[in-house]
Each structure stands twice: as C-alpha cells, then as structure tokens.
C-alpha cells in the first residue's frame, strides 16, 4: 500500500487520537491547530492557586473507557471522592444530598432522575416534562443544575428523548474521578507520538474535498494537499464559523449541524482568603440564579480556598446580555447562599474562562435538543466522498458525546474509516 497522506484539523482529544492511530499505521500525518496549544477543551490554569485548576474537562467518567489505559501510560493518578458530599441549597436551607434524598421536599426530583431512562413521550424539552408533571420550584432548580448544567445547557434547551437515550446508554455516569495532575497529562501518550506533526497557529479557512486530492487552505493562503482530511472542530464551530467547504456540505450534514445543541457557558474561578463552605463539600446545586459551584482543589496538593462557579445555556446568555460584572454577580450569589457578605469580604481574585468566546470552540459541549434524533449524529459523523471525514465529541454514536473519552473514540473511529480499503 502506498503511504496515505492525511490532514487532521484540530489538536484536541479527537484530533490527537486520530493522528496517533494514523501515524501508527504508517500514514504521513499533518495536524493543523488554530490555537497555540494542544488539548482543545482540556486546559488548565497555572499560578493562580497552589494547584492547577481545570478550565475545561475535569472529570473522568468511569473506569470502563479508553481513558484508563492512558491513565496508566501517562503515569497520572485518578481520585475518587468518596469522603466528599454534594450539597443542595433551596428555600434558604443548605443540606447534603444524602439528607435531601431521605426527605420529602425533593422526592419528585430524585424520582424524575431515576426514571428518566424509561421516557418514551413526545419531542419535548426536559423543562416541558417537568412542567407537565407539576414538579415544585425547588425540584426544578435542583434538576437544572444536576441535569441542565451537566449537559452544558439549561432545561429549556435539553431534549428529553435524547437525554433519556443518553441515560440508557451510559452505565458509568455515577463513577466520576478527577486526576491528581493536570487533566491534559492524560493526552501525553497520544501527543508524544505526534508532537512533531502538529502545526500551531494554523487556522483552516477552506477545504476542497471534491477532487482526487483534498486541498486545505490556511487562513494565510497556503494550500496543503492530502489523500484525506479529518475535521475535528466542535459542532458549534461548524454551525457558527465553519471553514468554507467546496463542494458545499450536503443538506443532511447541514441539517445535522443545526439539530444538535451546543450552548455557551463559563467557569469562574474564585479565590478566597478562607473557607466558608462545609469542609466536605464537593458540588453545590443552588436555587440562586447561578446554579452550580464546586471545590476544584480536592485531591490536588495545595491549600488555596477556591470555588468554581459554572453557568451554561440560556442563563449564561442572559448574563452576557445583561453585561453585569460576572465576578460580582457570582460573589453576590455566594453571599446569598452563605449569609451576610461572607464571600465578598473574603474574596481575593478571580479568573473567568468563557468558552462561548473561544473562537475555535464557541461553547461547552454537544447535547440533544428536543428534536435531535440519533440519525443527526450519524449524519454529522458520516464521511464525504471518501476524502472528508468527521470526528469530535459530537460525532460519538455510543452515548458518550460531550466527554473526553467520547472524543478519543470518535478520533479513532474516523482514523479507522480513513484506513479502511475503499
Ligand atoms: C467547561 C467544560 C467542562 C467539561 N468537563 C468535562 C468533564 O468533566 N469530563 C469529560 O469527559 N468531558 C468534559 N468536557 C468535554 C470535553 O472537554 C470535550 O468533549 C472534549 O475535550 C472535546 O474534544 P474534541 O477533540 O472533540 O474537541 P476540541 O477539544 O474542541 O478540539 C478541537 C480542536 O480543533 C481546533 N479547531 C477548530 N476549528 C479549527 C480550524 N478551522 N482550523 C484549525 N483548528 C481548528 C480547536 O482549536 C480545537 O483545539 C468539558 C468541556 C468543557 C468546555
């Protein structure tokens, strides 16, 4: 077999996994990455606290996926937070998730989560289902954090059918682990094999996929030719700022791009001079406008008092439109939760990581809208003309979209398609 030349667009988890597999199979691989670093939506902040703080992916979901062999070869350590507890704040009370489970107030919310995988109703949003079941306001708030934020959106956007399918597929969801070292170290075993193939600051502006060779044009005007191209940019990039495709993408692909959700959102990292939250607190689901906070330093060596505040979907859009000072707003919410002006008074500094404004990501991660069907992800993943292939978390077909392991699997799948005899 003659050596196949392949251009991989994007050096995130999917792109690195594709490039590593293709390089191992003897292909001549070039990875084009628009930003100045590898990792994509895996990125951390150094120097802000006495431990690294994740700005993108933070958890490893379960021990039955493709990340586990990488954990071993990267020599990093996974931590399971068995001694930490999640808290819920509603009606002015702050109680542990365990106590809430034992009580009556949130019973309907827990029943909703436990039975969601059996849903077979109409193409509704999760919010429509909650309203139809007359769930009380505090149940809505808990579910918006527990389900809406977890899927990178809000309940008015998250599709019930797709979400139910996701729950059915995903056996691993309760077992979450964090990494003692920076999360990006998990990608080292892939990166080490392709480091010298990556061109940074290489923004792809146009992809011609109709001829005998694919032609990829960089923003500076340089043309590169290859037997095949794998595009791994997010579905929001394809929706809002795609490279020019020639020929244009077919109708099915365009429909898929607009039928899969990917919303904006941000993490605000807040540093305080002392802890004012319970020592065993991990996540805090709150009925304030800002739905979710957590303690990112657990298991990492360091003593700084840090909270991450996370908001996504319609709520994140709303805050952006209001043009409020996001840090002050988040501190105000914490004051309301913990009383007095405790957060504002003990605040030291903040860092805002707004993924919506990242030009080559444009949001958090993909999720099902009310009308999203499995065929949309299949169409998004489908190769075109034996030349143009698609990978990235949103193209995962096994219910693991929106994750790092889903992205890696998608990159390996696309590489397999390139290598398959035509
Ligand atoms: C805040 C946040 C928290 C998350 N938490 C978790 C978690 O706890 N656990 C988990 O498993 N997952 C989590 N995720 C999701 C996970 O990070 C993603 O699913 C995964 O990293 C996506 O990888 P990818 O390769 O598909 O896409 P990306 O990481 O987006 O990589 C695509 C790359 O393509 C590049 N690119 C795009 N367009 C072009 C172009 N025109 N030319 C050149 N390059 C281009 C981009 O710069 C980028 O580097 C989180 C994500 C975010 C944002």
């Amino acid at each position: 077999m003659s050596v196949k030349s392949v251009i991989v667009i994007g050096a995130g988890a999917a792109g690195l996994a594709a490039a590593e597999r293709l390089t191992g199979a003897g292909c001549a691989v070039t990875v084009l990455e628009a930003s100045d670093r590898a990792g994509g939506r895996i990125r951390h902040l150094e120097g802000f606290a006495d431990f690294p703080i994740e700005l993108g992916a933070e958890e490893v979901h379960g021990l039955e996926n493709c990340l586990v062999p990488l954990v071993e070869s990267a020599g990093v350590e996974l931590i399971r937070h068995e001694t930490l507890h999640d808290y819920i704040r509603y009606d002015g009370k702050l109680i542990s998730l365990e106590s809430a489970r034992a009580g009556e107030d949130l019973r309907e919310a827990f029943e909703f989560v436990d039975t969601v995988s059996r849903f077979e109703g109409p193409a509704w949003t999760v919010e429509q289902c909650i309203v139809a079941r007359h769930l009380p306001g505090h149940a809505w708030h808990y579910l918006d954090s527990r389900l809406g934020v977890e899927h990178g959106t809000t309940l008015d956007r998250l599709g019930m059918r797709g979400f139910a399918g996701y729950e059915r597929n995903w056996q691993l969801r309760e077992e979450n682990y964090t990494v003692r070292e920076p999360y990006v170290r998990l990608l080292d075993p892939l990166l080490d094999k392709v480091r010298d193939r990556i061109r940074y600051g290489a923004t792809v502006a146009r992809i011609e996929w109709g001829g005998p060779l694919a032609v990829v044009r960089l923003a500076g005007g340089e043309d590169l030719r290859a037997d095949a191209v794998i595009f791994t940019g997010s579905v929001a990039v394809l929706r809002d700022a795609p490279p020019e495709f020639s020929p244009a993408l077919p109708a099915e692909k365009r429909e898929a791009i607009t039928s899969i959700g990917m919303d904006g959102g941000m993490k605000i990292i807040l540093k305080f001079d002392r802890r004012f939250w319970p020592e065993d607190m991990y996540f805090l689901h709150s009925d304030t406008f800002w739905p979710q906070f957590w303690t990112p330093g657990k298991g990492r060596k360091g003593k700084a008092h840090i909270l991450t505040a996370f908001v996504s979907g319609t709520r994140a859009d709303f805050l952006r439109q209001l043009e409020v000072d996001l840090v002050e707003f988040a501190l105000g919410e914490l004051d309301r939760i913990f009383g007095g002006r405790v957060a504002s008074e003990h605040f030291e500094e903040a860092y805002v990581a707004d993924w919506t404004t990242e030009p080559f990501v444009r949001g958090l991660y993909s999720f099902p809208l009310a009308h999203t069907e499995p065929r949309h992800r299949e169409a998004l993943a489908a190769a075109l003309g034996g030349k143009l292939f698609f990978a990235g978390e949103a193209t995962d077909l096994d219910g693991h979209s929106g994750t790092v392991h889903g992205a890696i699997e998608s990159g390996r799948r696309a590489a397999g398609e390139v290598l398959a005899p035509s």
Side-chain angles (χ1 to χ4, degrees):
M1 186 187 91
S2 62
V3 173
K4 255 190 178 167
S5 55
V6 187
I7 292 173
V8 176
I9 301 170
L16 293 177
E20 188 247 9
R21 179 152 184 206
L22 291 164
T23 304
C27 296
V29 177
T30 305
V31 182
L32 302 174
E33 168 55 51
S35 75
D36 59 1
R37 42 174 285 286
R41 281 171 268 175
I42 304 172
R43 185 194 310 175
H44 65 281
L45 181 60
E46 291 277 9
F48 182 84
D50 50 358
F51 53 86
I53 298 169
E54 299 300 340
L55 302 176
E58 197 150 340
E59 292 189 315
V60 172
H61 304 290
L63 294 180
E64 303 290 321
N65 65 58
C66 61
L67 282 175
V68 176
L70 295 179
V71 169
E72 281 158 25
S73 41
V76 300
E77 190 186 345
L78 291 189
I79 314 161
R80 177 108 170 93
H81 299 294
E82 271 149 2
T83 56
L84 297 181
H85 295 99
D86 290 355
Y87 279 76
I88 302 180
R89 193 265 192 188
Y90 66 96
D91 295 345
K93 295 179 280 193
L94 185 67
I95 60 172
S96 73
L97 194 65
E98 280 89 347
S99 321
R101 263 202 176 272
E104 268 301 296
D105 288 4
L106 286 160
R107 184 179 51 79
E108 289 162 288
F110 293 117
E111 275 173 13
F112 186 87
V113 176
D114 293 343
T115 58
V116 73
S117 61
R118 297 203 288 276
F119 178 82
E120 283 179 352
W124 280 355
T125 63
V126 175
E127 183 169 77
Q128 285 172 310
C129 288
I130 288 175
V131 172
R133 290 188 199 183
H134 301 288
L135 259 60
H138 48 258
W140 183 92
H141 275 288
Y142 169 62
L143 292 172
D144 197 43
S145 173
R146 169 72 177 71
L147 308 180
V149 173
E150 182 176 299
H151 287 268
T153 182
T154 30
L155 296 181
D156 59 329
R157 304 258 305 144
L158 183 62
M160 189 69 189
R161 277 182 180 168
F163 169 55
Y166 202 79
E167 293 288 299
R168 277 195 292 275
N169 280 338
W170 198 348
Q171 312 298 324
L172 314 168
R173 65 175 314 115
E174 297 304 334
E175 291 172 43
N176 291 329
Y177 298 78
T178 54
V179 189
R180 198 176 299 282
E181 299 74 12
Y183 199 116
V184 74
R185 287 265 322 271
L186 275 172
L187 299 184
D188 279 355
L190 306 174
L191 192 53
D192 286 347
K193 303 265 177 53
V194 298
R195 216 176 277 279
D196 58 343
R197 312 287 175 105
I198 305 177
R199 282 182 62 177
Y200 293 105
T203 302
V204 171
R206 179 180 161 91
I207 304 170
E208 283 174 30
W209 54 276
L213 285 179
V215 185
V216 169
R217 178 161 302 164
L218 297 181
E222 183 186 351
D223 282 344
L224 296 133
R225 288 177 169 71
D227 295 310
V229 174
I230 302 180
F231 185 83
T232 74
S234 73
V235 69
V237 165
L238 282 171
R239 185 189 62 205
D240 300 337
E244 183 189 347
F245 289 96
S246 175
L249 296 178
E252 269 181 18
K253 185 78 83 181
R254 294 201 308 271
E255 186 200 358
I257 290 166
T258 52
S259 298
I260 296 169
M262 180 160 157
D263 280 357
M266 66 192 91
K267 281 183 178 179
I268 298 193
I269 316 297
L270 298 159
K271 183 155 75 176
F272 301 95
D273 62 15
R274 78 162 175 85
R275 173 178 62 76
F276 51 83
W277 51 91
E279 189 161 18
D280 65 348
M281 186 180 99
Y282 190 20
F283 279 89
L284 166 57
H285 306 283
S286 176
D287 64 354
T288 45
F289 184 83
W290 205 290
Q292 198 177 92
F293 301 85
W294 69 87
T295 49
K298 299 292 185 194
R300 289 195 161 165
K301 293 191 181 82
K303 293 194 170 21
H305 305 295
I306 307 284
L307 286 179
T308 296
F310 190 43
V311 67
S312 53
T314 316
R315 293 198 208 202
D317 293 345
F318 192 64
L319 286 176
R320 209 169 293 106
Q321 283 157 15
L322 283 181
E323 295 180 11
V324 293
D325 181 316
L326 294 167
V327 175
E328 269 180 29
F329 191 88
L331 288 172
E333 301 281 90
L334 286 167
D335 285 341
R336 184 175 292 267
I337 296 168
F338 291 101
R341 286 184 34 82
V342 67
S344 302
E345 279 168 8
H346 293 282
F347 170 68
E348 287 188 334
E349 61 177 314
Y351 183 92
V352 179
D354 188 350
W355 287 91
T356 330
T357 53
E358 290 286 324
F360 301 105
V361 178
R362 295 182 170 255
L364 294 169
Y365 33 90
S366 68
F367 65 88
L369 295 161
H371 63 281
T372 307
E373 296 173 20
R375 71 181 171 88
H376 292 128
R377 287 200 194 265
E378 283 162 24
L380 188 68
L384 297 175
K387 285 273 165 303
L388 178 56
F389 298 79
F390 290 83
E393 56 85 8
T395 69
D396 170 90
L397 305 177
D398 297 321
H400 298 276
S401 56
T403 68
V404 173
H405 63 273
I408 289 176
E409 293 290 12
S410 78
R412 290 178 176 159
R413 187 244 326 128
E417 289 168 9
V418 170
L419 294 170
S422 46

